[in-house]
Amino acid sequence: MARLHQGSVFGIPELTAEQREKTRKVLEWLETDLVRRRKRLAYWAMRKHQAETIPGIDEDLREGAFYFHARAQQLVDSGERLRAHLITELQEQPEHLPAYHYEH
């Protein structure tokens, strides 16, 4: 017979109401910050495209466009990872858990 396990699959600890509220506020701030980060990434993607296609651009400007595009991409990626973690942390709280699941 299989053992039944109640609790988070990801090993996320149960949060208090105060901790949940703080996590929700951080998630709310992160959502607005991700909008800003995506706009910045779109700008640097445009500048990178210009650096690739327009002939005669100074090499320093070309390298700067590639660098800042890569940096903007890193910021968006890190924000997305943090957002995914926070959402998982909130969803894995007891009121969101299924009744049970099988333990591996």
Side-chain angles (χ1 to χ4, degrees):
M1 178 149 201
R3 291 176 49 198
L4 296 180
H5 174 75
Q6 294 181 340
S8 175
V9 176
F10 298 108
I12 295 173
E14 187 174 335
L15 299 175
T16 64
E18 182 180 317
Q19 290 171 324
R20 288 181 200 182
E21 187 59 35
K22 284 182 182 178
T23 303
R24 284 186 186 103
K25 286 181 182 178
V26 169
L27 185 59
E28 183 180 325
W29 172 85
L30 184 60
E31 291 285 347
T32 58
D33 192 53
L34 274 171
V35 170
R36 183 186 59 82
R37 291 180 189 194
R38 288 184 190 118
K39 286 180 183 178
R40 182 173 288 165
L41 177 61
Y43 172 78
W44 284 110
M46 177 198 63
R47 299 297 288 185
K48 179 183 173 195
H49 177 70
Q50 289 174 343
E52 292 172 338
T53 57
I54 298 175
I57 292 182
D58 186 29
E59 190 61 31
D60 289 340
L61 292 175
R62 183 183 308 274
E63 289 177 9
F66 286 113
Y67 171 79
F68 286 113
H69 176 267
R71 184 68 183 130
Q73 185 65 54
Q74 288 173 347
L75 287 172
V76 169
D77 292 344
S78 67
E80 290 289 344
R81 282 192 302 272
L82 179 57
R83 179 179 173 269
H85 175 73
L86 292 175
I87 288 173
T88 301
E89 190 173 80
L90 287 174
Q91 286 179 342
E92 288 295 314
Q93 295 306 306
E95 70 266 11
H96 296 289
L97 288 177
Y100 61 87
H101 58 269
Y102 290 100
E103 192 173 65
H104 301 293

